[in-house]
Amino acid sequence: MANPALLEQIYTIVAQIPAGRVTTYGRVAKMTEGATPRMVGSAMRHLPDGHGLPWHRVINASRRVTDHGGARRQRDKLRAEGVLFDASERVPAALLWP
């Protein structure tokens, strides 16, 4: 797991993603001082219960929801915010933040 300062950077960035928009693990990583996309994914996986961060707005570089135990829930949360998926389950590039 990343050091606490790096985790704080990741969480601060994720907290800023507006509803109806998504970003990628890699984009979040580039906004930090040394995180990798895998570190961002790990940070999202290890969020404590009741955290309130919009973890569901972080997707993979191919603009898809990564296949994991919460993938269906993630897609449902994104759809509830108005995020559409194409026939290949990709989010349109126009919805990428920033």
Side-chain angles (χ1 to χ4, degrees), residues 14 17-25 44 53-60 62-68 70-86 89-92 95-97:
V14 171
I17 306 168
R21 302 289 298 274
V22 297
T23 196
T24 67
Y25 301 107
M44 296 299 97
L53 280 177
W55 61 272
H56 59 284
R57 297 178 188 151
V58 185
I59 60 175
N60 66 35
S62 65
R63 300 190 329 264
R64 291 186 173 112
V65 171
T66 300
D67 189 23
H68 56 80
R72 172 169 275 194
R73 182 171 167 231
Q74 185 174 6
R75 279 188 208 90
D76 289 347
K77 288 174 82 68
L78 289 170
R79 283 186 182 109
E81 293 183 350
V83 174
L84 302 175
F85 294 85
D86 67 16
E89 290 296 313
R90 285 192 172 136
V91 173
L95 296 180
L96 285 172
W97 173 89

